[in-house]
Amino acid sequence: MVRRLPPRIEARLRERYDVTLNATDETYPLDRLISAAREFDAIVPTVVDDIPAPVFEQSDRRVQLVANYGVGYDRIDLGAARRAGVVVTNTPGVLTEDTADLAILLLLAAARRASEAERQLRAGGWEGWRPTHMLGTRVNGGTLGIVGYGRIGAAVAKRAHNGFGMRVLYVSRSDPDAAAVAAAAAERCASLDELLERSDFVSLHAPARADTRRMLDARRLALMRPGAILVNTARGDLVDETALADALSRGAIGAAGLDVFEQEPRVSPRLLALPNVVLLPHIGSATTASRVAMGDRVLANLDAFFSGLPLPDRVA
Ligand code: DGY
């Protein structure tokens, strides 16, 4: 059973498999997932479908593979999948560049007040060029703190350093690729607190896990520089949205650019009402090239699994 996918991927899936589509393209409800796990050999969910333990813990379960369409698998209970012997795969690598582009877009848009300025113009409120109109924050030469120096974090760092002459700081749980660090002349900080204190811009690229949940809480937001800008293209769970709305409305930080939210697709009414936050509907990987490439990875994982070959992207 699969979510709606780009047409050419759906066509290729149908050539090879007996496919049941989630025709409404809505997030799978739990009861449907539980019954799907009894009906199908493989399920292809997306990054917004919750796959909790009860889906795996069924004596008459048929599903052997959950081939996630997306790189983030934080909504899948991997422990329960492992205990049940169900294989889980994802789609890493193919959406890196587009997601990094979107992080830079949000950084620039938040710094230069692009959404606010366009809203003013469309509402007929532009009264012409004035020396004090819509003054924003200079990006060039600023210091960017990258939280999580994996593929996407490194791609953002490279763009920021080489395209905008930014100084790059980072924190990372694991040791990042040395060449990726050198490509942005990035400096490692001893702690997230230090990074927040030293950065003009902060871009989040950590996975959503129990230990990263609300890593940007009120205390940490208070460590950010006055006027600093926060960008999140990773997961909404990383930020305490109430604390963020407080910090933005008090002017404790300058602005934010958000592509992900705690309760997607619900967006906090307080964030919606603030002028100094740029809001996008989780479109980091939303280019035809990325979405087709993600489908190709799903197909590669399905094909390998059902041919008994090593899986390209196994996470459990
Ligand atoms: C992912 O794959 O995890 C992304 O959030 C989808 O854009």
Side-chain angles (χ1 to χ4, degrees), residues 87-174:
V87 171
V88 180
T89 60
N90 71 341
T91 65
V94 293
L95 47 83
T96 303
E97 303 303 331
D98 289 328
T99 307
D101 287 348
L102 198 91
I104 294 290
L105 182 156
L106 283 171
L107 188 155
L108 289 168
R112 300 302 303 273
R113 303 172 63 184
S115 297
E116 192 185 348
E118 187 180 4
R119 278 194 300 273
Q120 183 189 71
L121 179 151
R122 285 179 186 274
W126 183 30
E127 290 170 355
W129 194 95
R130 281 168 289 143
T132 54
H133 182 226
M134 280 290 164
L135 303 187
T137 301
R138 176 179 288 167
V139 169
N140 202 283
T143 298
L144 171 64
I146 300 274
V147 180
Y149 211 87
R151 289 186 191 87
I152 300 173
V156 172
K158 193 170 142 193
R159 282 160 173 72
H161 182 68
N162 298 302
F164 299 97
M166 297 181 90
R167 175 176 189 197
V168 176
L169 308 176
Y170 74 94
V171 284
S172 179
R173 206 171 59 125
S174 49

Side-chain angles (χ1 to χ4, degrees), residues 2-216:
V2 305
R3 283 289 290 261
R4 295 308 306 253
L5 298 177
R8 78 181 88 156
I9 299 297
E10 278 190 21
R12 285 174 52 206
L13 267 171
R14 283 184 191 288
E15 279 165 20
R16 299 179 208 184
Y17 300 99
D18 178 10
V19 173
T20 298
L21 272 185
N22 172 349
T24 62
D25 205 17
E26 281 162 8
T27 307
Y28 289 128
L30 179 59
D31 58 345
R32 182 63 189 114
L33 277 167
I34 288 176
S35 64
R38 294 198 298 267
E39 276 173 66
F40 301 100
D41 299 308
I43 298 176
V44 180
T46 71
V47 294
V48 294
D49 295 308
D50 280 313
I51 321 279
V55 174
F56 300 107
E57 293 164 351
Q58 305 186 75
S59 54
D60 53 350
R61 176 183 46 76
R62 175 170 168 175
V63 74
Q64 305 161 57
L65 172 66
V66 173
N68 189 42
Y69 181 83
V71 67
Y73 45 83
D74 43 290
R75 289 174 180 265
I76 304 174
D77 188 330
L78 287 196
R82 282 193 196 101
R83 284 193 297 279
V86 176
V87 171
V88 180
T89 60
N90 71 341
T91 65
V94 293
L95 47 83
T96 303
E97 303 303 331
D98 289 328
T99 307
D101 287 348
L102 198 91
I104 294 290
L105 182 156
L106 283 171
L107 188 155
L108 289 168
R112 300 302 303 273
R113 303 172 63 184
S115 297
E116 192 185 348
E118 187 180 4
R119 278 194 300 273
Q120 183 189 71
L121 179 151
R122 285 179 186 274
W126 183 30
E127 290 170 355
W129 194 95
R130 281 168 289 143
T132 54
H133 182 226
M134 280 290 164
L135 303 187
T137 301
R138 176 179 288 167
V139 169
N140 202 283
T143 298
L144 171 64
I146 300 274
V147 180
Y149 211 87
R151 289 186 191 87
I152 300 173
V156 172
K158 193 170 142 193
R159 282 160 173 72
H161 182 68
N162 298 302
F164 299 97
M166 297 181 90
R167 175 176 189 197
V168 176
L169 308 176
Y170 74 94
V171 284
S172 179
R173 206 171 59 125
S174 49
D175 281 335
D177 178 56
V181 171
E187 179 193 339
R188 191 171 202 152
C189 289
S191 65
L192 176 56
D193 289 7
E194 180 195 330
L195 177 140
L196 296 170
E197 283 165 355
R198 293 176 58 195
S199 300
D200 303 311
F201 304 87
V202 174
S203 190
L204 303 181
H205 302 286
R209 286 190 311 250
D211 62 325
T212 58
R213 188 170 154 67
R214 296 193 169 172
M215 68 198 304
L216 251 67

Side-chain angles (χ1 to χ4, degrees), residues 227-268:
I229 289 172
L230 176 69
V231 172
N232 190 5
T233 52
R235 284 292 182 267
D237 308 46
L238 304 182
V239 179
D240 179 338
E241 277 179 6
T242 304
L244 177 62
D246 287 344
L248 286 165
S249 49
R250 280 199 320 272
I253 67 170
L258 308 175
D259 185 45
V260 287
F261 303 90
E262 279 190 305
Q263 305 283 333
E264 294 179 16
R266 183 187 168 275
V267 178
S268 144

